[in-house]
Amino acid sequence: MGLTLLTGSPLMSLALLAVLLFAADRFTLQVIPSPVRALKKWQRAGELAGTILTNTHDRRARAELADIRLGQKRYAEAVDLLRPNLDAGDDDVDTLYLLGVAYLGAGEAPKGELLLDEAARLDADYRQGAIDLERGRFRLQRGDLKNAREALERFLLVRQGSVEGRVLLSRVLLKEGLVAEAKAMRDAAWREYTVAPRFQRRRDRWWAYRARPSRPLTYAALALVMMGVGAYVTRQLPLHDVAPRYYYDAPYAADDPGGDDAE
């Protein structure tokens, strides 16, 4: 409303507000995803899809595109992309891991677990425990709490500073009825977030907010208060110029019987 008073255009004010909020987020919380990064990933996915259409046997392009699709949670498409690689003899740990996660996300848990077992046999410490992290995540979704807890606890032994792993483990504990242990694990996740380097805090911010959901609610309440104050101040400002009123003591000349037009 304040910007509308200055610009005279609600649409321009809305655009300016969006730019200001995005710029403020870039220099402070960095909660809003980067549109530049998303655009580059979208362009890269299009290039890889075109490459695969031209050469269906390009296994490297299939693996890279499948990795992007996993990040977009398009698991079934990732399975279709990676299955030809496995059939062609690609049984390296990268292919087994990606295809195992894709099967888990697509709802085919036995196939996914089998592939992750084989990937762990080749490299148990792959990506600093990423195999156990994905096992724990999808086991939690399926309700397999016992095995999810074991996988996440193994993961935290390898990557002790993981905020995501602690939040997921706290959810497992909560579902098991261990309320105090779950709260302690969320508190530990928040402590790990506060002492982490800046680049790691940027990556783990969403998980930290899940450990302390009161923080984003506090930010939202402050934003509402500021909006309310702005609306109140705007209502006190004069929005329109009041036209002056003129009063005439004498009648119009045309209505004056003694005027020039009188006969």
Side-chain angles (χ1 to χ4, degrees):
M1 294 174 68
L3 288 173
T4 302
L5 289 176
L6 297 176
T7 63
S9 171
L11 294 178
M12 183 182 296
S13 301
L14 183 61
L16 287 174
L17 182 61
V19 172
L20 290 174
L21 289 176
F22 180 77
D25 178 76
R26 287 293 91 191
F27 288 101
T28 54
L29 299 177
Q30 296 186 355
V31 173
I32 302 174
S34 173
V36 177
R37 186 179 305 171
L39 178 61
K40 288 182 178 179
K41 186 173 291 188
W42 178 77
Q43 289 177 337
R44 181 57 181 166
E47 294 172 0
L48 292 169
T51 301
I52 295 171
L53 285 175
T54 304
N55 181 11
T56 58
H57 301 291
D58 192 334
R59 300 201 293 269
R60 181 175 299 179
R62 284 181 172 275
E64 186 178 351
L65 182 56
D67 196 4
I68 295 176
R69 295 306 186 220
L70 287 181
Q72 298 170 340
K73 300 186 184 302
R74 296 164 65 174
Y75 300 110
E77 186 175 344
V79 169
D80 294 337
L81 287 166
L82 285 171
R83 187 55 194 259
N85 288 16
L86 186 66
D87 295 339
D90 287 353
D91 55 357
D92 57 288
V93 64
D94 293 304
T95 301
L96 294 173
Y97 168 77
L98 291 175
L99 186 54
V101 174
Y103 270 124
L104 290 177
E108 300 187 52
K111 292 182 179 180
E113 291 282 357
L114 182 62
L115 289 169
L116 289 183
D117 287 341
E118 186 63 21
R121 187 185 65 81
L122 296 177
D123 186 359
D125 196 27
Y126 178 72
R127 294 188 185 178
Q128 293 185 313
I131 295 175
D132 281 325
L133 176 62
E134 296 303 328
R135 279 172 167 166
R137 186 197 317 279
F138 286 103
R139 286 172 181 175
L140 172 60
Q141 291 181 7
R142 298 197 306 269
D144 187 0
L145 302 180
K146 179 182 178 181
N147 291 321
R149 181 175 179 177
E150 292 177 355
L152 291 171
E153 287 176 344
R154 284 196 306 268
F155 168 72
L156 289 173
L157 290 176
V158 177
R159 202 185 302 177
Q160 299 180 3
S162 173
V163 177
E164 179 182 1
R166 293 183 184 278
V167 172
L168 290 175
L169 184 54
S170 72
R171 293 178 178 177
V172 175
L173 295 172
L174 186 61
K175 287 181 177 294
E176 289 181 335
L178 304 174
V179 179
E181 289 82 351
K183 182 180 183 304
M185 189 59 62
R186 289 195 302 271
D187 293 340
W190 182 259
R191 287 195 301 270
E192 291 292 342
Y193 170 74
T194 56
V195 300
R198 184 176 181 180
F199 74 92
Q200 187 174 340
R201 292 201 304 270
R202 186 182 306 119
R203 182 187 61 198
D204 292 337
R205 184 166 288 117
W206 280 112
W207 288 103
Y209 287 162
R210 291 168 184 172
R212 287 282 181 89
S214 59
R215 291 305 178 99
L217 291 177
T218 302
Y219 298 148
L222 289 174
L224 290 175
V225 170
M226 293 177 64
M227 292 174 62
V229 172
Y232 175 79
V233 172
T234 304
R235 290 178 62 184
Q236 306 306 313
L237 297 176
L239 299 181
H240 304 284
D241 293 330
V242 179
R245 296 182 179 180
Y246 299 96
Y247 300 93
Y248 300 92
D249 295 329
Y252 290 106
D255 297 333
D256 185 4
D260 295 338
D261 297 334
E263 293 181 357

